[in-house]
């Protein structure tokens, strides 16, 4: 079942700007992951953050997790045209390793 | 490593026919694979969990007789859409579970169009 909600639904920014998107979920989680999907393609794993972690970095990506608010954010710094894609968060639970995906944020980076 | 392929990438079929989609883990063995469905501009919805050597587990609302899943080997799972209807037109994505249960490696997806 889909438990994540993401906002904004769509985001349009200029190349070089930062893009921030948020994900909220409803039940307690084990891990939260972010994926990227280019139009009509499969998913590419970006980063995983465990429920006992608060922040994680990977290159130009920064993910935060606030389990008290049941929310996570993904920040892409110094965006590039190639970052244009849809971004999804996905959670898994302690008893159930199936992934539950958020609705996604479509990011458009204008050159 | 951890590459998952799907075949075909696109398929067009007529109403009433059946179509099979293959999902392969190319460089690792996957006891568990997952099948998702994605409508345009929407998120991925889990359809079923495919376990090698046993019956698939379907999510609520997914017709198991319509979406037949076979996981006959540790590197191959197939999804057969039987008696396809135009409303079955969608993007179908599979994933294979890695060494850690929360790791999933996704295939590139199959675009099914039923005319």
């Amino acid at each position: 079942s889909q438990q994540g909600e993401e906002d904004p639904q769509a985001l349009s920014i200029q190349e070089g700007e930062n893009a921030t998107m948020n994900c909220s979920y409803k039940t307690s989680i084990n891990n939260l992951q972010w994926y990227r999907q280019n139009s009509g393609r499969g998913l590419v794993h970006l980063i995983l953050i465990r429920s006992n972690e608060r922040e994680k970095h990977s290159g130009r990506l920064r993910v935060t997790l606030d389990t008290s608010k049941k929310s996570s954010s993904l920040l892409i710094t110094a965006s590039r045209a190639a970052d244009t894609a849809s971004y999804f968060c996905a959670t898994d639970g302690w008893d159930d390793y199936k992934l539950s995906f958020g609705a996604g944020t479509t990011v458009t980076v204008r050159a | 490593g951890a590459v998952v392929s799907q075949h075909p990438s696109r398929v067009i079929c007529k109403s009433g026919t059946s179509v099979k989609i293959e999902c392969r883990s190319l460089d690792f063995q996957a006891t568990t694979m997952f099948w998702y469905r994605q409508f345009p501009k929407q998120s991925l919805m889990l359809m079923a969990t495919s376990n090698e050597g046993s019956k698939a587990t379907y999510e609520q609302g997914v017709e198991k007789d319509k979406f037949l899943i076979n996981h006959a080997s540790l590197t191959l799972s197939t999804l057969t859409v039987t008696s396809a209807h135009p409303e079955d037109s969608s993007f179908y994505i599979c994933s294979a579970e890695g060494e850690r249960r929360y790791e999933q490696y996704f295939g590139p997806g199959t675009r099914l169009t039923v005319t």
Side-chain angles (χ1 to χ4, degrees), chain A residues 10-92:
Chain A
L11 184 60
S12 180
I13 56 174
Q14 200 72 34
E15 205 166 25
E17 293 180 340
N18 296 341
T20 300
M21 60 210 86
N22 304 293
C23 165
S24 62
Y25 55 92
K26 296 174 185 171
T27 59
S28 62
I29 63 169
N30 185 22
N31 305 286
L32 186 144
Q33 305 183 61
W34 285 90
Y35 291 86
R36 184 184 74 227
Q37 183 182 36
N38 290 90
S39 181
R41 310 291 288 272
L43 271 69
V44 173
H45 183 262
L46 296 176
I47 197 165
L48 176 149
I49 187 165
R50 302 183 193 283
S51 59
N52 62 353
E53 296 176 312
R54 292 296 165 257
E55 188 170 313
K56 208 158 181 183
H57 297 254
S58 176
R60 294 183 295 112
L61 305 179
R62 174 178 168 254
V63 169
T64 63
L65 179 64
D66 186 335
T67 52
S68 67
K69 295 181 180 178
K70 290 187 169 62
S71 69
S72 172
S73 68
L74 171 67
L75 168 67
I76 305 173
T77 61
S79 63
R80 305 167 181 169
D83 295 328
T84 295
S86 292
Y87 292 83
F88 295 93
C89 67
T91 58
D92 63 85

Side-chain angles (χ1 to χ4, degrees), chain A residues 1-2 30-31 33 35 37 40-45 48 50 88 92 95 97-99 101-104, chain B residues 34 36 38 41-46 49 57 59 91 93 97 100-104 106-109 111:
Chain A
S1 62
Q2 185 175 331
N30 185 22
N31 305 286
Q33 305 183 61
Y35 291 86
Q37 183 182 36
R41 310 291 288 272
L43 271 69
V44 173
H45 183 262
L48 176 149
R50 302 183 193 283
F88 295 93
D92 63 85
D95 298 326
Y97 286 93
K98 291 186 291 188
L99 295 181
F101 282 85
Chain B
F34 301 90
Y36 296 85
Q38 185 180 32
K41 300 190 187 304
Q42 294 190 25
S43 188
L44 280 73
M45 298 297 292
L46 180 64
T49 303
T57 305
E59 295 299 302
F91 194 55
I93 303 177
E97 191 174 80
R100 287 178 281 252
R101 292 195 64 188
Y102 52 78
E103 285 180 337
Q104 290 187 28
F106 286 82
R111 172 77 57 195

Side-chain angles (χ1 to χ4, degrees), chain B residues 11-85:
Chain B
V11 58
I12 301 173
C13 69
K14 293 186 177 180
S15 280
T17 61
S18 295
V19 61
K20 181 187 286 187
I21 302 170
E22 294 184 348
C23 176
R24 293 182 185 273
S25 55
L26 298 185
D27 49 3
F28 67 105
Q29 294 184 330
T31 305
T32 302
M33 291 184 174
F34 301 90
W35 287 96
Y36 296 85
R37 184 173 181 174
Q38 185 180 32
F39 290 107
K41 300 190 187 304
Q42 294 190 25
S43 188
L44 280 73
M45 298 297 292
L46 180 64
M47 299 175 66
T49 303
S50 168
N51 296 295
E52 188 267 336
S54 63
K55 289 183 180 179
T57 305
Y58 291 81
E59 295 299 302
Q60 194 171 7
V62 178
E63 298 175 60
K64 62 180 181 181
D65 294 329
K66 180 166 184 61
F67 298 100
L68 300 179
I69 291 172
N70 185 288
H71 194 156
S73 78
L74 288 171
T75 58
L76 174 64
S77 175
T78 60
L79 168 69
T80 301
V81 182
T82 63
S83 188
H85 286 260

